[in-house]
Amino acid sequence: MRVAIPTRNGKIEAFFSRAEEFTIYEVEIELVKSKELVPIGAKDLGRFLMEEAINVVICGKIRSGVRNILRLKRVELIYGVSGDADDIMIRYLSGERLGNVDENAYWSKDEEGLE
């Protein structure tokens, strides 16, 4: 299983659409087998995640349209999460419930500083 977390300086990027890099964890039998920091470059986020064969995305705030696309591609999505990426990964693997869906309920593009 491959888990992707959009990060900046080891912390979860607050807004999924602002991600410039992902920390990708290769997980086997509930243990992290490897960890890699991968820059997105000029790629579309959806294409990037598919090319990297991502099964799970853990992120902060994310727009509903992107959530729907990831679900259609059968990518497990956990959002409304913040903190240190490595700590979050440990909590995810231990089965802890992550995310605060309510945090996303009133999020609009205005809050992200977009027109």
Side-chain angles (χ1 to χ4, degrees):
M1 173 173 65
R2 289 175 59 84
V3 180
I5 301 178
T7 54
R8 181 184 304 252
N9 300 321
K11 305 277 185 210
I12 293 179
E13 174 69 60
F15 297 100
F16 183 82
S17 61
R18 290 185 184 169
E20 295 179 4
E21 64 186 23
F22 278 81
T23 301
I24 298 177
Y25 300 86
E26 184 77 34
V27 176
E28 190 174 291
I29 311 171
E30 298 182 4
L31 296 172
V32 174
K33 187 175 169 182
S34 67
K35 172 184 154 183
E36 179 181 12
L37 190 62
V38 181
I40 294 172
K43 293 180 185 174
D44 168 73
L45 280 173
R47 172 176 278 166
F48 171 81
L49 294 172
M50 294 306 110
E51 286 176 358
E52 292 291 331
I54 300 302
N55 306 102
V56 179
V57 171
I58 301 173
C59 63
K61 294 182 180 185
I62 184 170
R63 292 192 181 120
S64 62
V66 179
R67 290 194 304 256
N68 293 335
I69 290 168
L70 291 175
R71 288 181 182 134
L72 285 173
K73 303 243 183 223
R74 302 195 187 285
V75 174
E76 180 184 349
L77 176 63
I78 301 166
Y79 58 96
V81 181
S82 61
D84 180 78
D86 289 344
D87 290 343
I88 293 299
M89 194 62 206
I90 291 167
R91 291 170 52 198
Y92 171 74
L93 292 174
S94 71
E96 184 176 328
R97 185 179 180 275
L98 300 171
N100 179 357
V101 177
D102 293 337
E103 180 179 316
N104 282 271
Y106 302 103
W107 181 54
S108 70
K109 60 184 176 182
D110 295 332
E111 291 180 38
E112 192 174 351
L114 300 174
E115 299 284 326

